[in-house]
């Protein structure tokens, strides 16, 4: 697999983590 | 086994415990911004770093800002390391003229070192240039360790503080972890290791004539490099990634029994001392001692089982006429023997270090079950620097909550009520590694790509896959090593598992810290469950063991347990 795929996997994961931060914040406020 | 070889086990535990308080106290002073004996030298450097980076040390962060900063910092670290590995063939300090690392292996390695796992699908001396080892892997060894320590300190502040949403500054915690703790200890350890014969040079590999030409091999390449400096932070930062392929079994990484003792000691040194740091920072050192006691009890029990299993040797070898009086010496270095090998295997998997001084694939089934189980417990028995204790604190929250339900009291820990949000976060922290390990193993075993890399049949092959995912799913990094892991499937699957195990845990840990820091402190009453007593220590151990057992016994039954039972019939795999 190429460099682009590797970078996309990592970027996708960190975007997911950004969303996870928002989810945990929402859970805290409920 | 001789008395002297058995003596090494209690000697190790005693020396480790003696060092806990002095180092723990020093680290508490560092994180609380107090003056230490190194301040005259390091404070000016710290101020310069903050000035150059534009960091105001008094600017503190909420849990959300802290978490996003950790994620952003590690993302940049990944890209830097990935680029370095892909470009190493055109960069300096490559005397072996090694080519660029492939995209999948670069991805796996960069993720591995950024997440403090240091899983290595490669042999260092034939894959990584000196520049990659030092500037890439070595630097991430420091930064990933410092990241774990910073997150732990944020959680400790969450427990210690009240009615605030500030958890400190990630930049300050990262810098202080690196400058005051990791760097000085690494320099000292590296000097001791050089004194013992660990190589430290930029000299190119040496090609020499072999003494015995009967095998047809006339010339031998002896790999060299800046090893001691990397080994020091490899151990102290619970990283585990060796310079050489066989890690600390290599005589240039670990030449003598004394270097072995020092390297083994440095694996648990900071994680053990952090328990005292925790107690000091929350204002009750008994809390830290309680956690240290729980960790030590489990470690001693499991190390005892591993040492006993390896000491008894392999009964199948006896029937082949192979002398087992020294125990199961397959895959072990003669200069270390069975006790030091089994003890190291237990310690390295307790600590999420992952370095090895023997080949775990060659352990007896029960001997191999111990390191696997230690990882499966969540790397909370001491665990990684920072990550071990924050994982343990998640178990403490669960233990306190369940105990509170049983006695009909509101669960509280260190004066903070444990409520639904903390429980949700603690459950996520405990269960994410379990899901990662079991799902990862299952996917590997049903896919043709996953099965193609298994070279041992039966339960041994199963154990190799289970061990691999247990290792990356808990950021350990050690391997059974019979698995052909440098394939597209495993490089990507294991890389994703490492990312999940690291960052999908850091987020809920910080969320829990943020929630705890905003609570008021409830004074202790007659109904408060004390969390420093032998009863609580026993209860905590029980919770850890039960969660681990419920999660993993079915998988272990398919691997090392059935292999142990079949060993009795003389069946080998």
């Amino acid at each position: 697999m190429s460099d682009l795929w590797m970078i996309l996997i990592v970027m996708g994961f960190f975007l997911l983590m950004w969303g996870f931060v928002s989810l945990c914040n929402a859970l805290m406020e409920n | 086994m001789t008395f002297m070889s058995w003596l090494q086990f209690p000697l190790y535990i005693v020396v480790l415990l003696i060092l806990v308080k002095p180092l723990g106290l020093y680290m508490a002073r560092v994180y609380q911004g107090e003056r230490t004996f190194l301040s005259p030298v390091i404070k000016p450097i710290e101020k310069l770093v903050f000035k150059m980076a534009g960091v105001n040390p008094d600017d503190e962060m909420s849990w959300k800002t802290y978490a996003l900063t950790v994620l952003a910092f590690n993302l940049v670290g990944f890209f830097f390391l990935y680029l370095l590995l892909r470009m190493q063939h055109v960069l300096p300090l490559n005397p072996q003229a090694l080519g660029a690392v492939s995209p999948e292996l670069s991805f796996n390695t960069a993720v591995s070192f950024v997440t403090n796992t240091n899983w290595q699908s490669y042999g260092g001396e034939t894959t990584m240039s000196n520049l990659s080892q030092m500037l890439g892997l070595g630097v991430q060894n420091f930064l990933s360790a410092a990241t774990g320590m910073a997150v732990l300190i944020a959680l400790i502040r969450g427990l210690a503080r009240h009615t605030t949403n500030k958890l400190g500054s990630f930049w300050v915690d990262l810098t202080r972890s690196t400058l005051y703790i990791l760097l000085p200890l690494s320099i000292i350890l590296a000097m001791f290791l050089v004194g013992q014969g660990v190589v430290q040079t930029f000299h190119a590999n040496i090609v020499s004539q072999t003494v015995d030409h009967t095998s047809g091999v006339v010339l031998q390449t002896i790999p060299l490099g800046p090893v001691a400096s990397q080994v020091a932070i490899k151990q102290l930062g619970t990283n585990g990634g060796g310079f050489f392929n066989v890690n600390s079994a290599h005589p240039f990484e670990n030449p003598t029994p004394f270097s072995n003792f020092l390297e083994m000691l440095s694996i648990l040194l900071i994680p053990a001392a952090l328990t005292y740091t925790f107690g000091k920072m929350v204002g009750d050192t008994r809390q830290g001692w309680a956690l240290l006691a729980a960790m030590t009890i489990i470690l001693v029990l499991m190390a005892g089982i591993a040492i006993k299993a390896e000491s008894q040797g392999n009964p199948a070898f006896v029937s082949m006429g192979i002398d087992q009086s020294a125990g199961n010496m397959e895959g072990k270095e003669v200069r270390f023997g069975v006790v030091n090998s089994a003890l190291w295997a237990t310690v390295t998997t307790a600590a999420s270090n992952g370095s090895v001084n023997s080949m775990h694939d060659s352990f007896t089934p029960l001997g191999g079950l111990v390191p696997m189980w230690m990882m499966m417990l969540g790397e909370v028995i001491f665990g990684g620097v920072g990550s071990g204790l924050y994982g343990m604190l998640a178990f403490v929250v669960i233990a306190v909550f369940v105990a509170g339900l049983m006695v009909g009291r509101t669960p509280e820990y260190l004066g903070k009520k444990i409520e639904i949000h903390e429980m949700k976060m603690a459950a996520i922290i405990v269960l994410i590694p379990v899901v990662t390990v079991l799902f990862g193993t299952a996917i590997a075993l049903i896919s043709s790509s996953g099965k193609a890399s298994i070279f041992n049949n039966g339960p041994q092959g199963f154990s190799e896959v289970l061990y691999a995912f247990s290792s990356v799913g808990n950021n350990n990094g050690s391997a059974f090593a019979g698995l052909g892991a440098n394939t597209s499937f495993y490089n990507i699957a294991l890389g994703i598992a490492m990312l999940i195990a690291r960052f999908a845990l850091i987020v809920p840990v910080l969320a829990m810290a943020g929630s705890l820091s905003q609570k008021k402190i409830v004074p202790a009453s007659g109904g408060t469950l004390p969390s420093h007593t032998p009863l609580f220590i026993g209860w905590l151990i029980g919770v850890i063991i039960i969660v681990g057992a419920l999660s993993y016994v079915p998988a272990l039954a398919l691997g090392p347990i059935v292999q142990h039972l079949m060993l009795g019939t003389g069946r080998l795999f």
Side-chain angles (χ1 to χ4, degrees):
Chain A
M1 291 178 91
S2 68
D3 292 308
L4 182 61
W5 272 111
M6 300 301 106
I7 290 166
L8 283 174
I9 290 173
V10 169
M11 296 285 311
F13 177 81
F14 276 87
L15 277 170
L16 261 174
M17 286 302 101
W18 188 19
F20 191 31
V21 170
S22 301
L23 175 65
C24 290
N25 198 40
L27 286 173
M28 192 156 85
E29 282 164 5
N30 285 344
Chain B
M1 305 303 299
T2 62
F3 172 73
M4 286 306 292
S5 50
W6 276 101
L7 185 63
Q8 290 169 93
F9 179 20
L11 175 68
Y12 174 81
I13 300 292
V14 165
V15 172
L16 176 69
L17 293 178
I18 286 171
L19 293 172
V20 162
K21 187 171 175 182
L23 181 59
L25 189 58
Y26 170 76
M27 290 196 288
R29 296 179 69 83
V30 165
Y31 289 118
Q32 289 173 314
E34 294 168 12
R35 191 175 169 77
T36 67
F37 73 98
L38 283 177
S39 294
V41 175
I42 298 181
K43 196 76 178 171
I45 303 172
E46 181 191 342
K47 283 183 178 167
L48 180 63
V49 168
F50 290 155
K51 195 174 173 185
M52 285 168 56
V55 169
N56 180 350
D58 297 322
D59 278 345
E60 296 207 352
M61 297 172 176
S62 65
W63 84 262
K64 209 172 157 190
T65 307
Y66 207 107
L68 291 172
T69 310
V70 169
L71 291 172
F73 178 73
N74 282 276
L75 181 62
V76 170
F78 166 83
F79 280 121
F80 177 78
L81 182 51
Y82 184 85
L83 203 62
L84 187 62
L85 297 177
R86 293 291 290 131
M87 304 287 293
Q88 71 168 13
H89 59 301
V90 296
L91 293 170
L93 292 179
N94 185 10
Q96 308 92 326
L98 295 166
V101 182
S102 71
E104 292 110 355
L105 184 57
S106 297
F107 162 80
N108 182 280
T109 305
V111 164
S112 175
F113 279 75
V114 161
T115 57
N116 198 241
T117 308
N118 291 36
W119 168 273
Q120 296 171 294
S121 300
Y122 63 87
E125 63 268 49
T126 53
T127 313
M128 301 291 171
S129 69
N130 288 344
L131 187 73
S132 295
Q133 296 262 29
M134 289 191 306
L135 185 61
L137 309 184
V139 165
Q140 278 305 320
N141 279 348
F142 280 95
L143 297 181
S144 63
T147 296
M149 292 162 83
V151 171
L152 170 69
I153 296 307
L155 177 60
I156 293 175
R157 290 195 190 105
L159 283 162
R161 294 179 178 180
H162 57 93
T163 54
T164 178
N165 68 342
K166 298 296 182 192
L167 296 179
S169 165
F170 172 68
W171 303 122
V172 172
D173 295 335
L174 182 85
T175 307
R176 286 183 179 160
S177 301
T178 308
L179 289 179
Y180 283 89
I181 302 167
L182 295 170
L183 262 175
L185 285 174
S186 296
I187 290 170
I188 293 168
L189 179 60
M191 281 167 36
F192 270 104
L193 293 179
V194 168
Q196 287 298 298
V198 178
V199 300
Q200 179 74 18
T201 179
F202 287 132
H203 198 286
N205 296 343
I206 292 173
V207 180
S208 73
Q209 289 216 354
T210 55
V211 173
D212 179 5
H213 294 182
T214 54
S215 65
V217 177
V218 177
L219 293 177
Q220 179 186 11
T221 302
I222 299 173
L224 298 175
V227 179
S229 51
Q230 185 158 327
V231 170
I233 188 55
K234 168 188 105 174
Q235 302 301 82
L236 284 162
T238 60
N239 291 285
F243 195 95
F244 299 113
N245 193 15
V246 293
N247 210 281
S248 285
H250 197 291
F252 284 0
E253 259 195 56
N254 189 7
T256 67
F258 186 54
S259 67
N260 186 73
F261 185 83
L262 286 177
E263 290 184 26
M264 205 163 44
L265 186 68
S266 51
I267 294 175
L268 291 189
L269 183 62
I270 295 179
L274 279 171
T275 59
Y276 188 85
T277 304
F278 160 73
K280 195 78 182 149
M281 289 180 74
V282 297
D284 185 358
T285 53
R286 298 175 303 176
Q287 304 296 333
W289 290 127
L291 298 185
L292 181 68
M295 293 170 175
T296 306
I297 289 168
I298 297 177
L299 178 76
V300 166
L301 274 170
M302 300 309 293
I305 293 171
I307 293 170
K308 182 85 178 138
E310 294 305 298
S311 301
Q312 285 175 339
N314 190 330
F317 286 174
V318 174
S319 60
M320 293 178 197
I322 300 170
D323 179 23
Q324 294 290 283
S325 59
N328 174 31
M329 282 299 294
E330 181 196 327
K332 295 184 180 59
E333 297 293 301
V334 173
R335 65 188 181 284
F336 302 141
V338 161
V339 174
N340 273 319
S341 301
L343 181 58
W344 184 300
T346 312
V347 162
T348 196
T349 48
S352 105
N353 179 269
S355 62
V356 297
N357 74 347
S358 62
M359 298 301 113
H360 294 185
D361 205 26
S362 294
F363 274 44
T364 58
L366 278 187
L369 186 150
V370 167
M372 208 186 294
W373 174 248
M374 292 301 272
M375 296 187 294
M376 288 170 171
L377 291 179
E379 298 290 23
V380 297
I381 312 306
F382 297 97
V385 284
S387 57
L389 189 48
Y390 65 60
M392 175 59 98
L393 285 168
F395 272 105
V396 168
V397 164
I398 291 173
V400 163
F401 188 81
V402 175
L405 290 178
M406 288 199 296
V407 301
R409 301 278 180 177
T410 305
E412 53 185 75
Y413 182 57
L414 301 179
K416 302 283 181 70
K417 284 199 173 125
I418 302 299
E419 292 169 312
I420 189 78
H421 182 258
E422 289 75 46
M423 272 312 294
K424 282 180 186 170
M425 296 301 111
I428 290 172
I429 293 163
V430 167
L431 290 175
I432 278 185
V434 176
V435 171
T436 306
V437 170
L438 295 177
F439 267 81
T441 306
I443 291 168
L445 290 171
I446 59 176
S447 72
S448 53
S449 317
K451 285 187 286 192
S453 290
I454 302 173
F455 301 121
N456 289 300
N457 57 16
Q460 180 71 16
F462 174 86
S463 293
E464 286 167 3
V465 179
L466 180 62
Y467 192 104
F469 279 94
S470 300
S471 174
V472 300
N474 289 284
N475 293 134
N476 181 269
S478 63
F480 257 11
L483 193 66
N486 192 8
T487 61
S488 292
F489 174 83
Y490 278 106
N491 276 330
I492 293 167
L494 297 176
I496 291 172
M498 288 187 266
L499 285 170
I500 295 171
R502 182 69 162 177
F503 299 112
L505 255 67
I506 281 180
V507 170
V509 165
L510 290 169
M512 192 163 68
S515 167
L516 288 166
S517 70
Q518 292 177 58
K519 291 177 188 284
K520 294 178 194 166
I521 300 241
V522 176
S525 66
T528 304
L529 175 73
S531 50
H532 60 274
T533 56
L535 176 66
F536 183 79
I537 294 167
W539 171 239
L540 178 60
I541 292 172
V543 167
I544 294 169
I545 302 286
I546 288 168
V547 169
L550 287 173
S551 306
Y552 292 109
V553 161
L556 290 170
L558 293 174
I561 294 175
V562 74
Q563 193 173 355
H564 171 70
L565 295 171
M566 294 178 85
L567 187 66
T569 66
R571 182 80 192 274
L572 294 175
F573 298 93

